[in-house]
């Protein structure tokens, strides 16, 4: 019987893609996935809608990473990867949460796709990264700025195109 794989959405930055290319792995503690608590919270959602919620939350977490690394190019990155179920642990367990904890680094061989903002989104992404913490704390003006970043769709790249960013 083949090993069960779980699709995870890993928030990242362009410098993290460089590390993924050079070391063959991406080290981060948390990611997002379709979890039982997300399914329970969004019971009417189909699989595609649930995946989109998890993906969007990973893109929001990428804003936090950008705030922590102001030298990084202002582009959100989400790495889609298929990991063995044993490598993915439940996150906070809060109703509606898509957060999962990763047991170890994400190997390059597990990466299914890379999603990156276009260069023309940089100004909106920089503004959102600057206020993402305030938005999470409930500041409506900051949330408006973060929502503006979410108007930009991340572009899809095959894992073979990793050199584009490294």
């Amino acid at each position: 019987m083949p090993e069960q794989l779980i699709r995870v959405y890993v928030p990242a930055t362009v410098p993290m893609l460089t590390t993924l290319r050079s070391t063959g792995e991406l080290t981060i503690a948390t990611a997002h996935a379709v979890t039982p608590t997300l399914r329970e919270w969004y019971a009417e959602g189909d699989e595609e809608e649930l995946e989109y919620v998890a993906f969007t939350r990973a893109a929001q977490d990428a804003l936090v990473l950008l705030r922590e690394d102001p030298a990084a190019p202002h582009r959100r990155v989400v790495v889609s990867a298929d990991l063995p179920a044993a490598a993915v642990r439940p996150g906070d367990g809060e109703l509606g949460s898509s957060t999962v904890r990763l047991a170890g680094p994400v190997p390059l061989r597990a990466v299914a796709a890379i999603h990156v903002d276009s260069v023309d989104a940089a100004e909106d992404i920089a503004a959102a990264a600057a206020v993402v913490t305030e938005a999470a704390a409930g500041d409506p003006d900051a949330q408006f700025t973060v929502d503006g970043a979410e108007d930009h769709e991340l572009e899809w790249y095959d894992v073979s195109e990793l050199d584009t960013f490294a």
Side-chain angles (χ1 to χ4, degrees):
M1 180 175 206
E3 185 174 27
Q4 180 187 3
L5 298 177
I6 297 176
R7 171 65 53 98
V8 295
Y9 301 97
V10 183
T13 62
V14 171
M16 291 170 76
L17 291 179
T18 302
T19 301
L20 174 63
R21 182 180 168 273
S22 66
T23 67
E25 59 187 31
L26 182 62
T27 302
I28 190 162
T30 61
H32 291 271
V34 176
T35 62
T37 58
L38 179 60
R39 285 185 195 284
E40 184 180 345
W41 171 73
Y42 195 43
E44 70 279 358
D46 63 21
E47 193 67 21
E48 188 174 319
E49 290 170 316
L50 293 169
E51 295 276 344
Y52 185 75
V53 169
F55 177 87
T56 301
R57 290 179 179 168
Q60 291 168 346
D61 282 359
L63 288 173
V64 175
L65 294 174
L66 288 171
R67 182 176 179 139
E68 294 169 356
D69 183 3
H74 300 295
R75 300 168 76 184
R76 295 170 299 168
V77 175
V78 175
V79 175
S80 298
D82 297 317
L83 297 177
V88 181
R89 298 187 177 120
D92 57 28
E94 188 175 309
L95 184 62
S97 176
S98 61
T99 302
V100 293
R101 301 214 178 282
L102 303 179
V106 175
L108 182 58
R109 70 180 177 282
V111 175
I114 300 165
H115 313 271
V116 183
D117 274 309
S118 66
V119 174
D120 66 345
E123 187 176 322
D124 289 339
I125 300 308
V131 298
V132 67
T133 304
E134 291 82 355
D139 181 320
D141 292 331
Q143 186 61 53
F144 181 79
T145 301
V146 169
D147 290 345
E150 292 176 5
D151 289 342
H152 296 278
E153 292 289 325
L154 279 74
E155 298 173 345
W156 182 93
Y157 294 88
D158 185 78
V159 69
S160 66
E161 299 175 277
L162 186 57
D163 287 347
T164 304
F165 307 101

